[in-house]
Amino acid sequence: MSPGAIEIRGLRVLANVGVPEAERVHAQPLSIDLELTVDLDAAGRSDDVADTVDYGAVAIAVADAVADAPVALLERVASLAADAVLDLDPRTEAVTVTITKLRPPIPRDVEATAVRLHRTRP
């Protein structure tokens, strides 16, 4: 096997995330980046989507998992996203998830805040 990567960049999702309760009441924009470690050899030879992890299905699963419940921390959002990816297709060996809060409510001029989590299949 020669591992490769499937990347999804800038998946936009509205989610109820934040430590103050007010942030969990109103959905806020997040940007999600995913990098999946996957063996791409079979798909590279066959040109058949059945031989790879479907990134459209990954995007839907992650968006659904992240938007479902109000949470306090971006770390929890990243964990939910990683679980959704690894639960979707056993061919994904590892995933790196970056969750970026696009409008963090902090009293300084900050473009965004983010957390990154790397998880491998047990």
Side-chain angles (χ1 to χ4, degrees):
M1 179 188 93
S2 59
I6 293 175
E7 298 182 23
I8 299 171
R9 299 281 177 237
L11 174 63
R12 299 294 175 107
V13 178
L14 291 176
N16 298 72
V17 57
V19 172
E21 185 178 342
E23 286 188 84
R24 292 188 306 274
V25 172
H26 302 288
Q28 299 176 55
L30 302 177
S31 180
I32 303 172
D33 295 333
L34 304 161
E35 183 173 324
L36 289 65
T37 302
V38 179
D39 182 352
L40 301 177
D41 285 346
R45 286 190 301 275
S46 71
D47 198 27
D48 187 344
V49 71
D51 288 331
T52 191
V53 176
D54 180 349
Y55 57 77
V58 170
I60 291 167
V62 168
D64 289 349
V66 167
D68 271 352
V71 298
L73 301 177
L74 291 178
E75 290 85 345
R76 177 66 180 147
V77 176
S79 182
L80 291 169
D83 289 345
V85 171
L86 293 174
D87 289 346
L88 185 67
D89 193 313
R91 294 175 291 189
T92 302
E93 297 184 17
V95 61
T96 300
V97 178
T98 304
I99 305 291
T100 303
K101 187 182 260 188
L102 299 173
R103 292 193 298 245
I106 57 178
R108 294 287 183 243
D109 184 13
V110 174
E111 182 179 314
T113 56
V115 299
R116 181 177 302 121
L117 171 109
H118 179 78
R119 188 166 296 157
T120 58
R121 188 169 294 287

